[in-house]
Amino acid sequence: MGKMVVYPGSFDPITNGHISILRRTLTIFDSVNVAVAENPMKNTLFSLEERLAMIRESIKNDNNVYVDSFDGLLVDYVESKNTNVIIRGMRALSDFEYEFQMSLMNRKLNNKIQTIFMMTDYKWFYTSSTIIKEAARYGGAIRGLVPDIVCQKLKEKFDHQ
Ligand code: COA
């Protein structure tokens, strides 16, 4: 078994930006374990099961990608997977402070675990799950920013509100 990395997030929902990070990570590491936070600090639009299902559908043709959820500290989860690498996408400079803080705290909690940042492709620089949800809520075109399944689920969600 080769080197596996953990790609954590709330993924509410997964975007094409996340998928781009994931596929580029696979050009460096052997496998990626997408780890969906059960109780992120955010109020999520989608339930854990919905978030997991959308990720599974979006990556169904990708080899060496595993999808799982976790509760509690990320570093404990990473250790339980017998790896020591966390991968995070970095978009505009605005991500830097938050990511820096999180990686330093994670290192303080467990100094064996390393965080690697992958620069997001310029196409996804200014997108985020929040801004995509906002556009979708008011009927905006979000095709191309998220996988088709996410497009469909967002439409269903807001049609019922
Ligand atoms: N392209 C486009 N958008 C991207 C992106 C990319 N490549 N990468 C991230 N984003 C966006 C997401 O859409 C999301 O947008 P939003 O803020 O509008 O929702 C945002 O960047 C970050 O979301 P995500 O990547 O899902 O991560 P997160 O910041 O929600 O995840 C955890 C945070 C879950 C990793 C973190 O809270 C955690 O580890 N929790 C467990 C407890 C713990 O151990 N905490 C740390 C130590 S105290």
Side-chain angles (χ1 to χ4, degrees), residues 90-104:
M90 183 82 89
R91 293 164 300 162
L93 213 58
S94 52
D95 280 346
F96 184 79
E97 217 164 318
Y98 169 61
E99 294 297 338
F100 196 58
Q101 206 175 19
M102 206 155 63
S103 72
L104 287 179

Side-chain angles (χ1 to χ4, degrees), residues 7-13 15-21 35-37 39-42 70-75 88-91 95 98-99 102 105-106 109 118-121 124-133:
Y7 182 25
S10 38
F11 300 103
D12 183 45
T15 68
N16 283 347
H18 289 126
I19 292 183
S20 157
I21 296 283
V36 185
N39 294 308
M41 308 255 280
K42 304 170 179 170
F70 75 102
D71 204 4
L73 284 180
L74 174 61
V75 286
R88 290 284 291 170
M90 183 82 89
R91 293 164 300 162
D95 280 346
Y98 169 61
E99 294 297 338
M102 206 155 63
M105 178 54 99
N106 284 334
L109 295 170
M118 172 91 73
M119 210 61 211
T120 294
D121 208 324
W124 321 111
F125 231 71
Y126 294 102
T127 62
S128 74
S129 299
T130 302
I131 210 131
I132 289 169
K133 282 181 281 194

Side-chain angles (χ1 to χ4, degrees), residues 139-156:
I142 51 161
R143 201 161 286 283
L145 296 177
V146 288
D148 288 346
I149 182 70
V150 174
C151 229
Q152 185 190 320
K153 294 290 171 196
L154 278 169
K155 191 169 179 333
E156 282 170 23

